[in-house]
Amino acid sequence: MKIARIRIFSIIACLWMSTSVLAQDGSSGYSWINVTSSSKIYGLGGMNVSLVDDDLLTTDQNPALLGPEMSGQVAMNYMRYMGGSNFAGVRYAHSAGERAAWSASINYFGYGSIKEATEDGTIVGTFSPADMSFGVQYSHDINDRWRGGVALRALYSHYTEYSALALAADVGVNYYDPEHDSSVSLVLANMGGQVKRFDEAYDRVPFDIRLGWSKVFGDFPIRFSVTAWNLTKWHLPYMDNGDGTEAAEPKMKDKFGSNLFRHLIFGADLVSNRNFYIGLGYNYKMRTDMSTYSRSFLSGWSLAAGLKVRNFGIGVAFAQPHTGATSLMFNLSMSLNDLLR
């Protein structure tokens, strides 16, 4: 029996709008590839391209942050979200000489069970939509302060009898000054396109330009980060529903200030102890996008914490985009090189 294409893809679009960690504006498909696999990055607002760290999963949004110092690391991530959604993945890195490194990763995005209907609305069962990405990264030290990297990903989606395949590439560069503990990065993200369509519908891969800056000021044990994204367009309007009552009239917000802050994500993390961290992030775009839902006081804010004991590390992050969506992300990492010594 033929499935109603419009109904199915509308359900998927609505599902992703409600579960998108970064609250994309919906102008293209494959927004799920922007979801970080790092609980630390998730806790710092959901995106950070300039964080120089020894955590392998923090490299997923900028391949230039990968380095030979991460050789032998294996890291796993898991997120439990609303609606029975489960996101999970694994990543491994290895050195390629003294100045280069490569990594490989697999990520799975499952959205739970959804009712399946015919074109006349008759329920005929359920199906479980899912997305997967298979990626490789390579980075190389240009000199003592500059590092460049490239990432390639195959993106596979399967929604009932329909499937699609796309290819995407990231190119990044990072400048790190260890004397002043300052890092600046530029990333051309999600360059590519769809190889196999669902049917006749074509979904664009969400190309983006991102700029990030992270800095520790003197002996103050806090690292501050600012990430600018969606730099391919200035206007990011949104509907403000006021207090959410029936008397409130929705208003379109498209002023300079709102557009500016919807391009920026702010984060701060404790760096006084290499074996422990806490982080706090604020994503204004997420908060304003969630104004169409029952937004919570915590909407737009996120929190992360992590602990490293010998060869093992664990991280956790928390966010509540709206009152019906509390999300938790977990990371587990280990160094195989240290274990084998």
Side-chain angles (χ1 to χ4, degrees), residues 178-292:
E179 297 177 359
H180 299 91
D181 212 339
S182 179
S183 171
V184 178
S185 291
L186 174 66
V187 179
L188 304 181
N190 306 329
M191 298 179 291
Q194 205 164 31
V195 177
K196 179 183 180 298
R197 304 182 182 187
F198 282 108
D199 190 12
E200 297 178 357
Y202 178 81
D203 292 318
R204 294 187 298 110
V205 177
F207 171 70
D208 194 14
I209 299 175
R210 298 163 185 171
L211 183 65
W213 173 68
S214 297
K215 171 71 175 175
V216 176
F217 294 92
D219 295 327
F220 192 63
I222 303 294
R223 174 171 48 189
F224 297 94
S225 297
V226 181
T227 303
W229 67 307
N230 276 322
L231 297 183
T232 58
K233 54 188 172 184
W234 168 251
H235 291 280
L236 295 175
Y238 72 98
M239 294 298 296
D240 187 354
N241 289 342
D243 58 7
T245 63
E246 294 183 1
E249 295 185 1
K251 295 181 180 179
M252 178 68 74
K253 299 289 186 178
D254 194 18
K255 295 183 179 180
F256 177 85
S258 65
N259 280 307
L260 174 63
F261 282 99
R262 279 167 63 81
H263 284 281
L264 301 176
I265 298 174
F266 301 92
D269 63 305
L270 180 70
V271 293
S272 59
N273 191 321
R274 293 189 60 184
N275 297 321
F276 172 77
Y277 73 85
I278 56 173
L280 179 68
Y282 183 69
N283 186 328
Y284 179 73
K285 187 177 187 299
M286 173 180 282
R287 180 170 180 82
T288 51
D289 282 350
M290 289 298 106
S291 64
T292 56

Side-chain angles (χ1 to χ4, degrees), residues 280-310:
L280 179 68
Y282 183 69
N283 186 328
Y284 179 73
K285 187 177 187 299
M286 173 180 282
R287 180 170 180 82
T288 51
D289 282 350
M290 289 298 106
S291 64
T292 56
Y293 301 92
S294 182
R295 184 173 62 189
S296 71
F297 172 78
L298 297 175
S299 181
W301 293 94
S302 53
L303 181 68
L307 179 67
K308 186 176 182 181
V309 179
R310 295 184 179 180

